[in-house]
Amino acid sequence: MTGLVHRGLAGQAVGMLREQILTGALPPGSRLDEVEIARDPGISRGPLREAIGQLVSEGLLIHVPNRGAVVFAARPEDVASLFELRSALECAAARMAALRRRPQEVTRLRKVCERSRKARETGRKLPYDLDLDFHRSLMEAAHSPRDAEHAWLVQQQVIVPRSGLTSRTTHTETSLADHEAMTEAVADGDADLAVSLMKAHLAMMEIQLLQNMHAAQSEDVRGQAPGPRSTERTVP
């Protein structure tokens, strides 16, 4: 019984930390203060260490000598490599989804697009969870669990550098239109179109992310504030 509770607490800690990382509450390059985090009544050191180990294995955290666990901070070359891998995985998934999709999976893709459209109409940026939900739904329609597992890890790692950027132009409207077009290509069983749309979609995301990263670096230099904006953060 204790083991089950322990795993449950570790799972809660994983979810909390992942949310903080993907939303930018823990920005890229920030260090986790384990002592401070463990003061939360719902988290103890054992489950917290398990959670950190899990997120290190997912690539969201890295261990740095003399600093401990630090949020993954992508360099431009890291972003290029991540998108190269993501394109290979998700273009293959787009093709398989168009060939293997079931009616309920097309319905789910359309519902995710509808929720995203409603969020857009209220003036919100496309939330990372809806973006991930679309891509996860596409992977499910492809019926390739191994590809889905690898894609999930890469998708998260791409979100981390995006979460650390503020006041940037977003690809929200274009991304949403891409998602809707891909959904209909999958629904129609048009594998070639689904692949073409996914490839262009990810290429656009990569270009925009790199442009925004370079713009942020330039602003840091002009503001005489080079390097990470924060060296240590704790989870609220």
Side-chain angles (χ1 to χ4, degrees):
M1 185 66 177
T2 302
L4 291 175
V5 173
H6 191 60
R7 286 195 295 273
L9 291 173
Q12 292 174 21
V14 168
M16 180 193 68
L17 291 175
R18 181 186 285 116
E19 176 76 8
Q20 294 292 322
I21 293 168
L22 296 183
T23 59
L26 281 168
S30 61
R31 183 179 76 86
L32 271 66
D33 186 334
E34 294 185 34
V35 175
E36 185 66 27
I37 296 172
R39 288 177 183 167
D40 187 306
I43 301 176
S44 58
R45 295 299 292 272
L48 177 59
R49 290 196 183 102
E50 285 188 43
I52 290 173
Q54 174 63 35
L55 293 177
V56 167
S57 73
E58 294 183 14
L60 295 182
L61 294 174
I62 58 174
H63 277 302
V64 176
N66 302 318
R67 291 192 71 198
V70 176
V71 178
F72 170 62
R75 301 165 298 175
E77 55 266 36
D78 296 322
V79 170
S81 295
L82 286 170
F83 271 99
E84 183 177 6
L85 178 56
R86 185 171 177 181
S87 184
L89 290 168
E90 296 204 54
C91 284
R95 179 174 298 281
M96 289 186 286
L99 298 175
R100 301 175 179 176
R101 83 284 185 222
R102 297 169 181 165
Q104 62 268 31
E105 292 158 349
V106 173
T107 297
R108 181 177 176 184
L109 283 166
R110 286 174 172 156
K111 286 183 177 179
V112 174
C113 289
E114 288 173 6
R115 292 200 304 273
S116 300
R117 178 62 65 184
K118 288 179 180 178
R120 173 63 176 168
E121 289 172 352
T122 61
R124 296 169 57 200
K125 294 180 181 179
L126 183 60
Y128 85 88
D129 54 336
L130 285 176
D131 189 31
L132 279 180
D133 199 13
F134 173 82
H135 287 274
R136 279 199 300 264
S137 297
L138 188 72
M139 297 301 298
E140 289 175 5
H143 296 280
S144 180
R146 185 61 62 85
D147 283 349
E149 179 181 351
H150 291 302
W152 163 245
L153 298 178
V154 180
Q155 289 160 358
Q156 289 186 109
Q157 290 177 50
V158 168
I159 286 176
V160 177
R162 287 168 56 187
S163 73
L165 299 169
T166 58
S167 301
R168 309 280 170 223
T169 55
T170 70
H171 61 274
T172 301
E173 182 60 36
T174 303
S175 284
L176 181 49
D178 288 348
H179 289 180
E180 292 168 339
M182 279 187 273
T183 294
E184 296 314 309
V186 168
D188 293 340
D190 193 333
D192 289 341
L193 179 57
V195 171
S196 177
L197 289 168
M198 179 63 79
K199 185 175 182 179
H201 174 68
L202 295 176
M204 177 271 297
M205 288 178 61
E206 178 184 2
I207 290 170
Q208 193 159 54
L209 176 55
L210 288 171
Q211 288 176 340
N212 288 342
M213 289 175 68
H214 288 310
Q217 291 172 356
S218 297
E219 288 178 8
D220 283 342
V221 171
R222 288 198 298 271
Q224 298 183 347
R229 286 186 287 272
S230 173
T231 58
E232 183 170 335
R233 290 284 298 274
T234 60
V235 176

